[in-house]
């Protein structure tokens, strides 16, 4: 009886953990879901459901050794577990064992002939070992035979990204987005490809759609802002700016106005935030007023801060107002708050560097640029200003080092290499100039989007669009 009760208790515990793992997976907490499955395996090392979970989530969370161990055990129990075989194939692609990936895909399709998991393993393995035409023909033939789906379309997209073939990429993104209209990853991917391939008007249409569909998502609009900085000095038409001003979400209006403010289009920035009830909009209007040298704009910023002391736009306006009136040390204090507290933007670091320069505090300039780049490692503007300042100080090697750091974290952007060429030319390094121009040509045909430092790379089966 005691043994039976213990076994019953164990079974109840496993069921609770299974439910917990499932719920956490549905909530997007992959690490917690993975850990729940690991606990199940500590109780029952041969629990097939938990082995499947660890094999898949180990891949997603970077726990590759545990994933491979779970795969081996699961396939010893049931060699026809398609999800586990898929995980095995992805490991093979990561390790560049392309023959193994193809063979694993064939295993799946032996007992599940129409299963896209086997098809895309075969196709991606073949493509990556150099059989590009055969891989694409396989995917098109299977899409015709069983119908296109997310996995086949994504494999076609990633193969085309490597070639690169813009037409195929856009065809597959159109299919994927029609099936997942809520995916900001796919929307940004499509906009980036359109911009980079010179289809600016179509890219702007996607941008306008992002502002409407994802207008309340700061991260999403921030990603659009990065595309604008890279490609587009006029992303919105007069009509679109008016529509955004009249009915756009608050975050969409603020970030769009910030961009126009950055590039000096003050009329457009003002149009977008004029009449906003939100204090952040009034803060942006104060910044615009300071930039236009309007009387009392600094006082307006102070009044906003009395109500909302953390208002980033008002703090920036106050710092810029103090700088404009020669009060450099006061500007430093206000800009320090922006740099410390407003981490979604680089404004504080730029203003603080200017304030330190005005105050004659050279050591502060270098420190703030380094802190800004540590916080925003892919930001072109901060690295540009820092490298140019280092050149002014006669520190050529430091300027080159600063830009080389950017090339490591943002190699897919042509502007990264343009800056590198500029600094190489400034220091008279002709070999470096040639290297930069060669890399820029490569970047202009690289349709990937750079990952943030520390961000987990996409798996080689489905690529970056389905991270």
């Amino acid at each position: 009886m005691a043994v039976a009760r213990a076994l019953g208790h164990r079974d109840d515990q496993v069921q609770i953990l299974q439910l917990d793992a499932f719920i956490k997976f549905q909530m997007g907490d992959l690490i917690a879901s993975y850990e729940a499955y690991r606990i199940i395996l500590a109780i029952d090392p041969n629990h097939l459901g938990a082995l499947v979970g660890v094999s898949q989530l180990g891949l997603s969370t970077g726990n590759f050794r545990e994933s491979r161990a779970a795969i081996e055990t699961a396939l010893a129990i049931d060699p026809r577990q398609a999800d586990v075989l898929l995980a095995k194939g992805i490991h093979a692609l990561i390790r560049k064992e392309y023959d193994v990936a193809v063979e694993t895909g064939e295993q799946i399709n032996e007992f599940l002939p129409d299963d896209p998991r086997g098809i895309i393993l075969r196709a991606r393995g073949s493509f990556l070992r150099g059989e590009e035409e055969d891989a694409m023909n396989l995917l098109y033939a299977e899409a015709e035979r069983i119908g296109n789906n997310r996995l086949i379309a994504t494999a076609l997209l990633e193969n085309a990204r490597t070639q690169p073939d813009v037409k195929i990429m856009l065809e597959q993104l159109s299919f994927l987005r029609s099936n997942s209209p809520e995916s900001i990853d796919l929307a940004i991917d499509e906009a980036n490809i359109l911009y980079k391939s010179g289809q600016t008007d179509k890219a702007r249409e996607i941008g306008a759609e992002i502002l409407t569909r994802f207008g309340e998502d700061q991260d999403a609009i921030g990603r659009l802002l990065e595309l604008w900085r890279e490609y587009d000095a006029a992303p919105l038409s007069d009509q679109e700016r008016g529509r955004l001003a009249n009915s756009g979400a608050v975050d969409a209006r603020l970030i769009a106005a910030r961009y126009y403010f950055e590039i000096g289009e003050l009329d457009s920035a003002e149009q977008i935030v004029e009449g906003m009830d939100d204090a952040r909009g009034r803060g942006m209007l104060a910044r615009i007023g300071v930039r236009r040298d309007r009387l009392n704009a600094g006082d307006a910023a102070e009044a906003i801060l009395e109500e909302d002391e953390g208002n980033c736009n008002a703090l920036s306006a106050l710092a810029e107002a103090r700088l404009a009136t020669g009060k450099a040390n006061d500007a430093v204090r206000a800009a320090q708050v922006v740099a410390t507290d407003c981490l979604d933007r680089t404004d504080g670091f730029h203003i603080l560097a200017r304030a330190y320069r005005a105050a004659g505090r050279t050591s502060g300039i270098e420190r703030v640029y380094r802190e800004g780049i540590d916080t925003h490692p892919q930001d072109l503007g901060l690295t540009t200003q820092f490298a140019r300042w280092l050149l002014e100080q006669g520190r050529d090697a430091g300027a080159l080092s600063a830009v080389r750091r950017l090339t490591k974290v943002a190699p897919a952007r042509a502007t990264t290499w343009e800056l590198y060429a500029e600094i190489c030319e400034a220091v008279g390094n002709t070999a470096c100039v040639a290297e930069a121009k060669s890399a820029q040509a490569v970047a202009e045909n690289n349709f990937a989007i750079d990952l943030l430092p520390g961000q987990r790379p996409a798996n080689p089966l489905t690529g970056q669009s389905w991270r």
Side-chain angles (χ1 to χ4, degrees):
M1 287 293 292
V3 173
R5 280 197 300 272
L7 289 172
H9 176 69
R10 189 195 72 166
D11 291 343
D12 289 344
Q13 198 175 10
V14 166
Q15 288 178 5
I16 292 168
L17 284 166
Q18 274 189 288
L19 180 61
D20 182 51
F22 175 77
I23 291 170
K24 284 171 177 169
F25 179 81
Q26 293 297 321
M27 293 172 62
D29 192 345
L30 302 187
I31 293 175
S33 181
Y34 167 79
E35 292 298 341
Y37 282 125
R38 288 271 291 163
I39 294 170
I40 294 172
L41 291 182
I43 298 169
D44 180 359
N46 292 318
H47 190 285
L48 191 55
L51 288 166
V52 173
V54 170
S55 71
Q56 295 177 314
L57 292 171
L59 268 170
S60 301
T61 58
N63 293 286
F64 291 165
R65 185 177 62 183
E66 292 80 359
S67 172
R68 287 194 297 270
I71 289 167
E72 185 176 346
T73 304
L75 292 179
I77 296 169
D78 180 0
R80 291 165 64 112
Q81 274 286 326
D83 284 333
V84 179
L85 286 167
L86 178 66
K88 178 183 175 181
I90 294 172
H91 277 291
L93 292 175
I94 291 170
R95 296 155 77 99
K96 299 184 179 180
E97 297 171 349
Y98 302 132
D99 290 346
V100 174
V102 172
E103 290 166 7
T104 306
E106 289 171 347
Q107 278 183 266
I108 295 173
N109 288 146
E110 279 177 13
F111 60 90
L112 294 171
D114 296 340
D115 195 300
R117 291 170 292 186
I119 294 164
I120 63 170
L121 269 179
R122 290 158 53 203
R124 285 295 281 161
S126 296
F127 186 92
L128 293 170
R129 70 184 180 188
E131 300 163 4
E132 295 187 5
E133 186 176 351
D134 289 346
M136 296 299 277
N137 288 340
L138 169 63
L139 289 168
Y140 277 123
E142 293 299 331
E144 181 71 22
R145 186 174 71 86
I146 65 174
N148 203 359
N149 58 51
R150 190 193 78 175
L151 289 175
I152 290 176
T154 303
L156 283 166
L157 169 62
E158 294 309 317
N159 286 355
R161 197 191 302 277
T162 302
Q163 290 178 317
D165 188 314
V166 171
K167 181 174 180 292
I168 294 175
M169 283 189 281
L170 293 176
E171 286 173 351
Q172 300 310 313
L173 276 166
S174 176
F175 172 83
L176 289 165
R177 291 196 65 215
S178 68
N179 285 276
S180 298
E182 76 291 345
S183 172
I184 183 61
D185 292 330
L186 291 171
I188 291 293
D189 197 3
E190 184 173 15
N192 181 66
I193 291 167
L194 288 166
Y195 270 129
K196 188 160 271 192
S197 61
Q199 302 178 63
T200 301
D201 288 344
K202 291 182 179 179
R204 288 172 177 168
E205 290 175 11
I206 302 295
E209 179 189 339
I210 290 171
L211 288 172
T212 301
R213 185 183 294 275
F214 302 98
E216 296 179 356
D217 184 338
Q218 286 189 29
D219 289 340
I221 305 302
R223 291 171 69 181
L224 176 62
L225 174 62
E226 291 304 314
L227 293 183
W228 288 350
R229 285 172 173 158
E230 179 70 8
Y231 299 111
D232 202 342
L236 300 174
S237 66
D238 290 343
Q239 183 179 13
E240 286 165 340
R241 290 196 306 275
R243 186 160 53 245
L244 183 62
N246 290 330
S247 58
V250 169
D251 287 319
R253 292 175 68 183
L254 288 168
I255 291 175
R258 190 199 311 168
Y259 177 66
Y260 279 104
F261 180 87
E262 285 178 9
I263 62 175
E265 296 286 340
L266 301 186
D267 288 344
S268 296
E270 192 164 23
Q271 174 192 8
I272 291 168
V273 292
E274 188 74 59
M276 279 185 71
D277 292 331
D278 193 288
R280 293 171 295 171
R282 288 187 280 119
M284 177 55 75
L285 288 171
R287 285 196 78 183
I288 295 167
V290 170
R291 185 68 60 87
R292 290 187 187 279
D293 294 324
R294 286 177 181 159
L295 289 175
N296 304 319
D299 295 337
E302 284 192 286
I304 294 166
L305 290 169
E306 287 178 6
E307 301 174 12
D308 179 10
E309 62 181 14
N311 189 303
C312 295
N313 287 326
L315 284 163
S316 295
L318 182 62
E320 289 170 321
R322 295 293 179 260
L323 198 55
T325 55
K327 298 176 181 177
N329 288 323
D330 290 344
V332 165
R333 284 189 286 273
Q336 282 174 331
V337 178
V338 183
T340 302
D341 295 347
C342 304
L343 297 180
D344 65 326
R345 63 195 69 201
T346 59
D347 305 14
F349 298 104
H350 284 293
I351 301 168
L352 189 51
R354 285 164 42 211
Y356 277 136
R357 184 189 286 260
R361 296 161 64 177
T362 303
S363 63
I365 298 173
E366 179 166 0
R367 184 178 68 253
V368 75
Y369 277 133
R370 290 193 183 281
E371 289 175 355
I373 291 168
D374 284 344
T375 306
H376 302 278
Q378 291 178 327
D379 187 79
L380 179 71
L382 282 170
T383 297
T384 300
Q385 295 304 316
F386 185 38
R388 289 173 180 171
W389 179 80
L390 287 167
L391 290 177
E392 290 176 15
Q393 307 305 304
R395 296 167 59 183
D396 293 0
L400 280 173
S401 177
V403 182
R404 284 191 181 116
R405 177 180 177 178
L406 181 65
T407 67
K408 303 299 182 188
V409 297
R413 295 189 324 210
T415 50
T416 294
W417 299 103
E418 288 174 14
L419 175 61
Y420 191 30
E422 173 194 322
I423 302 303
C424 291
E425 194 165 343
V427 303
N429 188 329
T430 54
C432 174
V433 172
E435 176 194 355
K437 290 186 175 178
S438 175
Q440 182 181 339
V442 172
E444 285 169 353
N445 286 292
N446 182 349
F447 290 89
I449 296 175
D450 294 310
L451 302 178
L452 285 168
Q455 190 174 4
R456 180 181 56 81
N459 80 55
L461 183 67
T462 54
Q464 68 179 48
S465 297
W466 287 96
R467 171 168 307 288

